[in-house]
Amino acid sequence: QVRLVESGGGSVEAGGSLRLSCAASGRTFSGVAMAWFRQAPGTERELVASMRWANGDQYYADSVKGRFTISRDIRKNTVYLQMNGLKDDDTAVYYCAAQSVGARNYNLFGQGTQVTVSS
């Protein structure tokens, strides 16, 4: 069973940057895709960015396009989320997610890491 472990959250002023990391441990990840979701208090979890593992195709929510970048290190089984130009609205718990082969949707989630942006 693959286990996802996030790191890199924290507090930052508006306009600042953070980089989140998500390491897939347990065995070599060979799933369909990996992604980052976020959930702010009182809101539904939303997909922020994703990457198809086979070809690296990326998706970004409109709210983060041009500011966030998803990337990966295949040798390290790790996916990253570089967040620049952070805004107050980006404050949320960020979750790493993976879609296993055969799964219809993202079926593996990490424990989450808090990102707090203050102005």
Side-chain angles (χ1 to χ4, degrees), residues 5-37:
V5 180
E6 302 105 333
S7 60
S11 297
V12 65
E13 292 186 354
S17 299
L18 284 173
R19 188 175 84 152
L20 306 182
S21 300
C22 173
S25 64
R27 58 178 179 169
T28 299
F29 180 73
S30 59
V32 176
M34 291 189 75
W36 290 95
F37 287 77

Side-chain angles (χ1 to χ4, degrees), residues 10 34 44 49 55-56 62 73 83 100 106 111 117-118:
M34 291 189 75
E44 294 187 356
N55 58 15
D62 288 343
D73 186 328
M83 305 184 293
S100 303
Y106 292 97
Q111 81 284 359
V117 184
S118 59

Side-chain angles (χ1 to χ4, degrees), residues 34-82:
M34 291 189 75
W36 290 95
F37 287 77
R38 70 184 180 186
Q39 187 169 21
T43 69
E44 294 187 356
R45 186 169 57 191
E46 66 167 333
L47 176 62
V48 174
S50 65
M51 176 179 284
R52 295 190 67 82
W53 210 246
N55 58 15
D57 282 354
Q58 299 169 25
Y59 161 86
Y60 295 95
D62 288 343
S63 58
V64 306
K65 279 181 183 176
R67 300 188 297 121
F68 290 12
T69 303
I70 189 170
S71 62
R72 63 181 175 175
D73 186 328
I74 293 177
R75 289 189 305 170
K76 294 182 179 179
N77 263 6
T78 299
V79 66
Y80 305 96
L81 185 68
Q82 178 66 44

Side-chain angles (χ1 to χ4, degrees), residues 2 8 20-21 24 36 51 54 76 84 91 93 97 101-102 106-107 115-116:
V2 174
L20 306 182
S21 300
W36 290 95
M51 176 179 284
K76 294 182 179 179
N84 298 328
T91 295
V93 177
V101 174
Y106 292 97
N107 58 315
V115 171
T116 302

